[in-house]
């Protein structure tokens, strides 16, 4: 069932395209929930700037997909269906997992916290009834900025860090993860 993404488009996307993509993602999520009736993981990559689909984001995405599949295997969870979408607004994955949503969310929070690339993954977990479980539901603080210790939402809103600084940090995290995997 592995399905990974290769060569990227590198297109600049606009805010209206990002909003339309988010709406389409919600529609896909609802369709999957109706069709499969189990916990749903909706997976995207945190990608600052106007280019969301690139070699960098696809490599980060593929690492995340492997980790999600490995997590499911270790936990004994059945992945009923999986798809990966190579969109101009960034790679997206959907995994219908036959497991309790609360357990899946706790495990994905653990991945986001412990994996070298976890900070670059946006792993939304929806219950079979469509409720999105958030970090707040588990008394978890908001995500930290990629560069400093402040809340990521604050730095993003204030545009505290340059795009080149953020991309350099993403590259460094990917290099560290790939070097660790080969060690």
């Amino acid at each position: 069932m592995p399905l990974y993404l290769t060569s990227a488009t590198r297109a600049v996307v606009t805010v209206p395209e990002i909003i339309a993509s988010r709406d389409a993602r919600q529609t896909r999520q609802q369709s999957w929930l109706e069709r499969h009736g189990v916990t749903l993981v909706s997976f995207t990559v945190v990608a600052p700037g106007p280019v969301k689909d690139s070699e960098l984001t696809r490599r980060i995405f593929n690492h995340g997909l492997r980790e999600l599949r490995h997590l499911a295997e270790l936990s004994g969870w059945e992945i009923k269906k999986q798809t990966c979408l190579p969109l101009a607004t960034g790679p997206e994955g959907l995994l219908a997992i036959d497991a309790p949503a609360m357990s899946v969310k706790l495990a994905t929070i653990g991945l986001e916290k412990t994996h070298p690339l976890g900070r670059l993954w946006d792993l939304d977990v929806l219950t079979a009834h469509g409720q999105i479980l958030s970090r707040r539901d588990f008394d978890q603080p908001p995500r930290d900025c990629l560069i400093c210790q402040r809340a990521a939402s604050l730095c993003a809103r204030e545009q505290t860090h340059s795009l080149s600084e953020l991309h350099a940090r993403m590259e460094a995290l990917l290099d560290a993860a790939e070097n660790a995997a080969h060690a």
Side-chain angles (χ1 to χ4, degrees), residues 81-144:
K81 181 81 172 173
Q82 167 193 310
T83 193
C84 299
L85 304 167
L87 305 174
T89 51
E92 289 184 22
L94 290 172
L95 293 89
I97 300 177
D98 193 3
M102 298 291 268
S103 299
V104 174
K105 183 61 181 181
L106 278 171
T108 60
I109 289 171
L111 272 182
E112 289 173 342
K113 284 179 154 184
T114 61
H115 193 280
L117 294 172
R119 177 56 193 83
L120 300 175
W121 300 330
D122 188 5
L123 301 167
D124 290 337
V125 176
L126 291 81
T127 68
H129 303 291
Q131 176 192 1
I132 298 176
L133 301 178
S134 76
R135 296 170 66 84
R136 285 186 305 273
D137 294 330
F138 298 89
D139 295 322
Q140 295 292 312
R143 288 172 168 257
D144 287 338

Side-chain angles (χ1 to χ4, degrees), residues 8 17-18 27 45 51 56 62-64 69 77 97 99 134 159 164:
E17 289 171 318
I18 292 169
T27 300
V45 173
V51 175
L56 175 64
N62 287 337
H63 279 277
R69 294 183 56 74
W77 301 333
I97 300 177
S134 76
Q159 297 182 353
S164 61

Side-chain angles (χ1 to χ4, degrees), residues 31-98:
S31 174
W32 270 58
L33 288 167
E34 290 168 12
R35 192 172 323 128
H36 302 292
V38 296
T39 298
L40 180 65
V41 175
S42 180
F43 169 42
T44 58
V45 173
V46 175
V51 175
K52 306 295 186 187
D53 184 32
S54 65
E55 179 69 24
L56 175 64
T57 58
R58 288 199 181 189
R59 286 171 55 205
I60 291 167
F61 178 87
N62 287 337
H63 279 277
L65 184 59
R66 277 191 290 278
E67 289 300 318
L68 281 170
R69 294 183 56 74
H70 184 67
L71 175 64
E73 182 182 325
L74 288 177
S75 302
W77 301 333
E78 178 189 358
I79 298 175
K80 295 180 91 45
K81 181 81 172 173
Q82 167 193 310
T83 193
C84 299
L85 304 167
L87 305 174
T89 51
E92 289 184 22
L94 290 172
L95 293 89
I97 300 177
D98 193 3

